[in-house]
Amino acid sequence: MTERDDSAFYGNLDGTLEEAWRMLDSGASDRRAAFHTPALASLSLDGAPSARTVVLRRVSRAERWLQAHTDRRSEKAREVLVDPHVSLHFYDPSAKVQLRIAGLASLHTEDAVADDAWAQSRSFSRECYRIEPGPGTPLADPREAVIPQVENPEAGREHFAVLRVRAQTLEWLYLAARGHRRARFDWRYERMDARWLTP
Ligand SMILES: Cc1cc2nc3c(=O)[nH]c(=O)nc-3n(C[C@H](O)[C@H](O)[C@H](O)COP(=O)(O)O)c2cc1C
């Protein structure tokens, strides 16, 4: 296997941030990309961390947000309404890159963000939001959960939500034989702070 050309970002903080957003962009658009399915961690109602896989749907580098879709009846939707602090974890084994993004989540159900995402979703994806009873409901028998077959393409819209994470920090880790590189970008203060960290 040929080594990937990392000259644009190895040892270069600006190039590293550029590469991180490039990978996130392609994670949103390429279903085969490892970054397409990050883990989203939130705080459960008893204070313990809770992580699960989500599909990365959209990214805005300019506004530093990342979006996933979810059912507003889900546990994660409830959790981020109580405490919006979340973290997204990405790992691409072929690129040998891990990203950890910490930020604040917002849940969009009735606004233009949700309308826009719903309008772009396919009928197959919309089906999941029609399931009854709601996600996470204990069942005596798994067949109790059903997706009603209906003609109305808007069915399920009332359960659909966009979970948007505004990044506060982004941590990069690149595993390389000639020396690992770890960097942290922090937008919590007036000016972005970018620095290397010991890997
Ligand atoms: C490959 C994969 C992709 C998934 N994508 C999503 C997603 O985009 N949104 C979502 O709500 N759940 C998604 N799930 C299911 C979640 O991981 C989780 O099991 C479910 O949402 C319940 O989580 P909660 O009870 O913490 O809310 C996905 C699971 C897998 C395995």
Side-chain angles (χ1 to χ4, degrees):
M1 212 175 76
T2 50
E3 280 289 303
R4 136 182 206 243
D5 178 14
D6 60 11
S7 54
F9 61 87
Y10 192 82
N12 173 341
L13 279 173
D14 290 340
T16 292
L17 186 58
E18 190 64 39
E19 180 65 5
W21 283 109
R22 193 199 61 72
M23 290 181 73
L24 290 168
D25 265 333
S26 68
S29 56
D30 179 0
R31 289 170 52 220
R32 290 158 310 169
F35 275 25
H36 193 55
T37 46
L40 168 79
S42 51
L43 289 165
S44 58
L45 304 182
D46 62 6
S50 173
R52 81 286 284 162
T53 311
V54 292
V55 171
L56 183 65
R57 301 282 180 176
R58 269 184 84 181
V59 165
S60 166
R61 178 176 182 168
E63 294 175 6
R64 293 200 319 275
W65 52 249
L66 305 96
Q67 279 183 192
H69 299 169
T70 197
D71 192 308
R72 65 196 288 183
R73 299 168 294 174
S74 69
E75 207 57 35
K76 72 181 87 47
R78 261 193 290 273
E79 288 171 3
V80 302
L81 290 174
V82 173
D83 189 331
H85 288 94
V86 295
S87 155
L88 282 161
H89 168 267
F90 302 80
Y91 175 53
D92 184 332
S94 61
K96 303 194 183 99
V97 170
Q98 171 183 265
L99 284 192
R100 298 198 292 178
I101 293 177
L104 297 175
S106 52
L107 198 72
H108 300 259
T109 52
E110 312 291 345
D111 60 3
V113 172
D115 288 343
D116 188 41
W118 178 258
Q120 288 179 41
S121 64
R122 301 181 197 183
S123 56
F124 175 73
S125 321
R126 289 182 175 192
E127 269 194 7
C128 319
Y129 300 98
R130 299 210 299 263
I131 200 160
E132 295 289 352
T137 306
L139 306 171
D141 183 310
R143 289 169 296 186
E144 285 169 22
V146 288
I147 297 177
Q149 292 308 308
V150 292
E151 293 296 317
N152 178 9
E154 294 305 305
R157 172 64 185 86
E158 68 275 25
H159 300 141
F160 176 78
V162 173
L163 198 154
R164 179 180 279 190
V165 178
R166 183 121 205 282
Q168 291 186 314
T169 61
L170 181 154
E171 196 189 295
W172 162 277
L173 176 65
Y174 174 51
L175 305 176
R178 58 182 163 141
H180 304 333
R181 289 291 177 267
R182 180 175 171 192
R184 185 177 164 88
F185 304 89
D186 190 336
W187 292 278
R188 283 175 300 172
Y189 309 100
E190 213 162 292
R191 292 185 54 183
M192 180 187 75
D193 182 69
R195 64 183 65 236
W196 296 110
L197 302 176
T198 305

